[in-house]
Amino acid sequence: MQRFLTKAYVACTVVFMIFLGTGCGEKAEDPRTNALSGRVAIDGSSTVFPITEAVAEDFQKVHKGIRVTVGISGTGGGFQKFISSETDINDASRPIKESELLRAKERSIEFIELPVAFDGLTVVVNPKNEFVESLTVEELRKIWQPGSTVKKWNDVRPEWPDQPLALYGPGTASGTFDYFTEAINGEAQASRPDFTASEDDNVLVQGIAGDEHALGFFGFAYYVENRSLLKLVAIDGGKGPIAPSNTTINDGTYQPLSRPLFIYVSKAAAERPPVAEFVAFYLQHAPTLVKEVGYVPLPDQVYELALERFKSRRTGSVFSEKAKVGISLGELLGARS
């Protein structure tokens, strides 16, 4: 967990085995050093960033001649760079959108879509808040929907204090923002505009930790890493309040805010040995590193199948336009494109 300070439920079906195909290109070695060298450029989701950064740190210890850069532009901002061929890999906290697919097709950008972890979008308040223990999906919608008139805590529940409610959330280029607004408001990007937004979840953590009237949301790992500064809010999706945890995110009981996380790899970039080696390293070490930074790993078999998919350079998305809130990863993979 120290490295992080510095920088849906899965049904693993036979269909997933069919979905994931079957190596990596040959290693290009510097003849002078007999070592792999080059550069891997990554950008995108701040939610996926801790995983990718952890992988990059360990990878560069082994491959000292390869420079891996990991940026945070949000999922949407990252896809813009990815489709413009500015990066080799895009971290994404949601599946690629249809509009992004069309732009990629126009620019002849082929990609390999790889799920890497599970996350549960986590709603938090300031630790000084002694009255909020849980919120229903309907209450979250009342707070966050476009045109919301909620300004104070007692606008949510009359018995709560007549105190201002300060909202914090990811920026509109964030896949976390897209997923939350679809899950809660029924449409991606549908939200009230008057909240403190940032593509950097660390900024949101610090904002909520310093504002006793605050409420916000971000990826589960950021709560885990900063639990002493934040208070977790359980969410009632219709079956009683349930808090996110490794168990509830993995078994699908934390709904509707559990989701898979992805990396998208340029097929052209994957033919470069440094990128191919990095992605293979990513999928081989993800089970350990995902857990280390606070997210929920996929089953080992899923990582093995994802590695086969990468080695076979199987392109396209089975998640786009099928990734409806509350549907399991196994069901999504079963709906073949």
Side-chain angles (χ1 to χ4, degrees):
M1 295 300 291
Q2 187 61 32
R3 74 167 81 234
F4 186 30
L5 286 172
T6 61
K7 301 258 187 247
Y9 167 56
V10 64
C12 188
T13 64
V14 174
V15 181
F16 196 2
M17 298 181 192
I18 297 173
F19 160 70
L20 292 167
T22 73
C24 285
E26 295 179 359
K27 297 180 183 178
E29 296 182 342
D30 185 331
R32 297 167 299 176
T33 62
N34 232 20
L36 203 63
S37 63
R39 179 174 179 268
V40 182
I42 309 168
D43 209 312
S45 167
S46 62
T47 301
V48 185
F49 170 82
I51 306 171
T52 301
E53 185 200 35
V55 174
E57 287 180 357
D58 282 7
F59 178 79
Q60 290 173 112
K61 292 175 184 176
V62 178
H63 299 283
K64 299 183 185 300
I66 300 177
R67 180 174 178 240
V68 183
T69 59
V70 188
I72 304 176
S73 295
T75 298
F79 269 126
Q80 290 181 12
K81 294 182 179 181
F82 183 75
I83 293 168
S84 298
S85 298
E86 296 176 39
T87 57
D88 305 312
I89 298 170
N90 190 52
D91 290 339
S93 60
R94 59 158 172 78
I96 189 169
K97 291 180 177 180
E98 189 66 30
S99 59
E100 293 162 341
L101 273 173
L102 292 173
R103 292 202 305 274
K105 185 175 181 180
E106 289 171 357
R107 291 177 172 267
S108 299
I109 301 297
E110 293 184 277
F111 59 82
I112 305 160
E113 177 185 68
L114 301 169
V116 295
F118 287 124
D119 181 29
L121 270 64
T122 303
V123 178
V124 297
V125 293
N126 185 279
K128 293 182 180 179
N129 186 315
E130 298 179 348
F131 54 90
V132 177
E133 301 297 332
S134 67
L135 287 164
T136 66
V137 170
E138 290 73 20
E139 288 169 337
L140 282 174
R141 184 178 303 118
K142 182 179 180 181
I143 293 168
W144 284 97
Q145 67 187 345
S148 173
T149 59
V150 173
K151 300 293 184 182
K152 299 180 179 181
W153 281 106
N154 63 353
D155 292 330
V156 182
R157 293 187 194 178
E159 65 269 26
W160 285 350
D162 182 14
Q163 296 291 336
L165 172 57
L167 297 175
Y168 293 78
T172 56
S174 166
T176 300
F177 178 78
D178 286 339
Y179 196 93
F180 182 86
T181 50
E182 181 176 355
I184 300 303
N185 295 331
E187 181 182 350
Q189 296 280 318
S191 173
R192 64 189 296 168
D194 55 335
F195 65 96
T196 300
S198 177
E199 308 296 348
D200 187 342
D201 291 342
N202 286 306
V203 172
L204 301 178
V205 168
Q206 294 305 315
I208 297 166
D211 186 343
E212 64 181 285
H213 304 299
L215 177 143
F217 65 93
F218 36 68
F220 182 61
Y222 285 88
Y223 164 72
V224 170
E225 186 61 28
N226 298 280
R227 64 177 75 220
S228 64
L229 303 175
L230 305 164
K231 178 182 175 181
L232 186 67
V233 178
I235 303 302
D236 186 348
K239 297 182 179 181
I242 296 175
S245 68
N246 286 353
T247 299
T248 61
I249 292 169
N250 203 344
D251 68 15
T253 56
Y254 182 65
Q255 288 291 351
L257 295 178
S258 294
R259 57 172 179 173
L261 304 175
F262 306 86
I263 58 172
Y264 285 77
V265 184
S266 162
K267 183 182 179 183
E271 299 310 315
R272 291 173 23 229
V275 176
E277 193 75 9
F278 176 79
V279 176
F281 185 96
Y282 199 126
L283 296 173
Q284 290 163 353
H285 293 80
T288 299
L289 295 177
V290 164
K291 188 175 182 179
E292 182 178 316
V293 299
Y295 289 119
V296 181
L298 306 172
D300 289 344
Q301 184 187 26
V302 174
Y303 289 115
E304 293 167 5
L305 293 168
L307 181 58
E308 292 175 10
R309 178 175 175 83
F310 176 68
K311 288 181 176 180
S312 68
R313 304 295 192 264
R314 188 169 180 182
T315 60
S317 173
V318 299
F319 294 88
S320 179
E321 297 302 305
K322 299 188 182 81
K324 303 304 181 185
V325 170
I327 297 179
S328 75
L329 181 56
E331 290 170 316
L332 290 173
L333 293 168
R336 297 186 69 195
S337 60

